[in-house]
């Protein structure tokens, strides 16, 4: 029985050495030390031994069991260590390898100029107002003193959703919406998209942006209008910028004017950019028409106001010398990356 034990020990130790996987080690353990294992089978025959031999064989069997258990544990530990090392090598990351830089987006040129203009006006006390792009005919035309059949309607080729609903052709309806909801003093700037059924070409787009301004309070005069808009032009371009006001007509203002800035290309001498004028028109403006104040429930004998409106894309195109409006909506990154 001693010999049997010794041979089991030797054979099993060899098997353990040769084992290449956790599964192999486990099956060795089951085959030798398990309930139906070789060693267990021997121990079951102990009863047949002489009583004085039992403790000797028992001790030896225990020794063999322990030796094998230790050997199995060690083999397992070595295998675990090897597996971990292999995993680390396999998954090693070379932190010195050059990375892929994330592409950083940029502000659209239209947004750059819009933000600049909003900053100028919020800096002198205006708040930004926002309103619907799908608008009632009442706000887009009627309340602005442009009744049905008025020639001003023909100048703004309108997308009609239904008889009395349009895509707003201008941001001026925000004047009415503001005055209906707020009591003077009012000082708002309302930028937004507007729509006209124009064919798309280098200088026209059916979708573009306007920025509307409105000031209503007691004692507002044409002097406030001129001072505010001149300050705006100087902040947008530079301190030496010269402006001029030309009489004009808008149904919702009286008197009305257009403001020009001195041509920055020729400095006023006249060139191809300003078509020999020396000045370039940048906005429409005027004193809010008493009728417009009245439909909003504001007493024109008590309050006066001025309003102005400008096309954003034209300002952007001029600032960055862009000669085709389509570039602003095509979103070609090669174009956008330049700003
Ligand atoms: N809404 C006008 C347009 O689209 C621009 C404009 C002119 C707005 C004069 C105004 C204004 O508020 O006072 O042509």
């Amino acid at each position: 029985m001693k010999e049997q034990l010794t041979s089991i020990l030797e054979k099993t130790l060899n098997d353990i050495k040769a084992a290449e996987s956790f599964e192999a080690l486990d099956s060795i353990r089951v085959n030798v030390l398990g309930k139906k294992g070789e060693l267990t089978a021997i121990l079951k025959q102990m009863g047949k031994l002489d009583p004085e031999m039992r403790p000797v064989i028992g001790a030896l069997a225990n020794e063999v069991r322990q030796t094998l258990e230790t050997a199995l544990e060690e083999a397992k530990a070595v295998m675990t260590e090897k597996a971990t090392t292999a995993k680390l090598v396999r998954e090693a990351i070379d932190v010195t390898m050059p990375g892929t830089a994330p592409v950083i987006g940029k502000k659209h040129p239209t947004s750059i100029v819009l933000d600049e203009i909003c900053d100028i006006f919020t800096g002198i006390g205006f708040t930004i107002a926002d309103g619907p792009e799908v608008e009632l005919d009442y706000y887009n035309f009627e309340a602005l003193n442009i009744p049905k059949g008025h020639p001003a309607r023909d100048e703004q080729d309108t997308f009609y959703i239904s008889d009395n609903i349009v895509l707003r052709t201008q941001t001026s309806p925000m004047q009415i919406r503001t005055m209906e909801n707020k009591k003077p003093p009012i000082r708002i700037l309302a930028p937004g998209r507007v729509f006209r059924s124009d064919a798309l070409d280098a200088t026209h787009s059916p979708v573009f942006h306007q920025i509307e301004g409105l000031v209503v309070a007691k004692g507002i005069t044409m002097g406030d209008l001129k001072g505010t808009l001149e300050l705006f032009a100087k902040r947008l371009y530079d301190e030496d910028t010269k402006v001029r006001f030309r009489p004009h007509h808008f149904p919702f203002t009286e008197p009305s004017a257009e403001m020009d800035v001195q041509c920055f290309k020729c400095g006023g001498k006249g060139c191809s950019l300003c078509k020999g004028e020396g000045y370039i028109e940048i906005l429409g403006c005027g004193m809010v028409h008493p009728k417009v104040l009245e439909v909003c429930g504001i007493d024109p004998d008590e309050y006066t106001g001025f309003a102005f409106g400008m096309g954003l894309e034209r300002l952007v195109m001029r600032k960055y010398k862009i000669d085709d409006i389509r570039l602003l909506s095509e979103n070609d990154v090669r174009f956008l990356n330049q700003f």
Side-chain angles (χ1 to χ4, degrees):
M1 207 175 255
K2 247 189 200 171
E3 272 160 25
Q4 265 182 315
L5 283 172
T6 328
S7 102
I8 287 179
L9 178 65
E10 271 175 21
K11 181 184 164 290
T12 313
L13 283 177
N14 279 336
D15 287 351
I16 292 174
K17 238 188 236 166
E20 276 176 349
S21 67
F22 290 108
E23 292 76 30
L25 286 176
D26 212 46
S27 75
I28 292 171
R29 188 182 56 74
V30 173
N31 288 339
V32 181
L33 305 174
K35 264 187 197 151
K36 289 178 185 163
E38 292 171 48
L39 192 65
T40 321
I42 289 176
L43 291 176
K44 275 182 186 156
Q45 293 165 25
M46 293 264 285
K48 293 178 191 161
L49 288 173
D50 293 339
E52 67 270 25
M53 280 306 283
R54 278 181 208 159
V56 182
I57 297 296
L60 183 61
N62 263 337
E63 215 183 290
V64 170
R65 168 179 287 276
Q66 222 138 61
T67 312
L68 289 179
E69 272 172 0
T70 315
L72 278 168
E73 282 312 309
E74 274 172 12
K76 241 190 217 171
V78 169
M79 226 174 249
T80 308
E81 171 91 23
K82 262 193 199 158
T84 311
T85 315
K87 189 166 187 249
L88 285 177
V89 169
R90 205 169 49 241
E91 294 178 357
I93 293 169
D94 181 357
V95 292
T96 64
M97 283 225 319
T100 340
V103 182
I104 295 176
K106 290 199 174 161
K107 250 196 210 174
H108 192 281
T110 309
S111 298
I112 297 176
V113 177
L114 174 61
D115 289 352
E116 233 173 86
I117 294 172
C118 287
D119 274 355
I120 294 171
F121 281 102
T122 53
I124 52 173
F126 284 65
T127 50
I128 306 297
D130 191 23
E133 294 174 348
V134 180
E135 187 55 285
L136 289 171
D137 180 286
Y138 175 77
Y139 288 106
N140 196 78
F141 294 123
E142 204 77 32
L144 286 163
N145 201 24
I146 314 173
K148 292 222 158 65
H150 192 288
R153 289 198 179 215
D154 303 336
E155 286 162 27
Q156 303 189 357
D157 287 325
T158 311
F159 286 114
Y160 280 89
I161 303 286
S162 69
D163 257 3
N164 61 344
I165 300 173
V166 301
L167 292 185
R168 67 177 176 193
T169 57
Q170 49 184 354
T171 45
S172 302
M174 282 307 292
Q175 292 186 29
I176 309 299
R177 287 187 172 273
T178 305
M179 286 190 281
E180 275 187 352
N181 292 314
K182 264 181 150 182
K183 288 208 162 8
I186 289 167
R187 239 177 333 192
I188 58 111
L189 193 73
R193 278 199 296 188
V194 298
F195 308 83
R196 292 187 193 181
S197 76
D198 283 330
L200 184 64
D201 64 27
T203 53
H204 296 85
S205 167
V207 184
F208 57 103
H209 296 79
Q210 281 189 346
I211 303 173
E212 194 79 14
L214 175 71
V215 173
V216 182
K218 281 181 180 160
I220 295 290
T221 67
M222 193 86 185
D224 297 305
L225 177 158
K226 288 181 78 177
T228 306
L229 295 178
E230 186 173 353
L231 176 103
F232 160 66
K234 286 179 187 289
R235 295 258 164 97
L236 186 65
Y237 298 109
D238 68 78
E239 270 311 303
D240 302 327
T241 302
K242 290 213 167 36
V243 300
R244 76 176 184 194
F245 290 84
R246 274 180 298 102
H248 201 78
H249 174 264
F250 297 104
F252 37 89
T253 46
E254 181 58 37
S256 304
E258 278 187 333
M259 183 176 87
D260 302 340
V261 292
Q262 200 168 57
C263 179
F264 8 79
K265 195 172 170 195
C266 65
K269 283 189 218 91
C271 66
S272 58
L273 183 67
C274 58
K275 298 188 182 83
E277 277 285 304
Y279 279 83
I280 295 169
E281 183 255 313
I282 67 164
L283 56 80
C285 56
M287 299 305 290
V288 181
H289 199 292
K291 273 194 186 167
V292 174
L293 291 171
E294 246 163 30
V295 294
C296 299
I298 294 176
D299 182 357
D301 291 330
E302 199 179 345
Y303 294 101
T304 49
F306 69 84
F308 54 92
M310 59 191 121
L312 179 57
E313 275 76 4
R314 284 203 300 156
L315 295 175
V316 177
M317 289 168 76
R318 204 166 298 139
K319 174 167 176 138
Y320 293 112
K321 304 192 168 62
I322 297 164
D323 55 12
D324 193 324
I325 197 171
R326 290 169 288 201
L327 289 165
L328 293 174
S329 53
E330 279 166 355
N331 283 337
D332 184 332
V333 284
R334 290 167 303 180
F335 168 75
L336 295 175
N337 268 335
Q338 300 174 65
F339 303 95

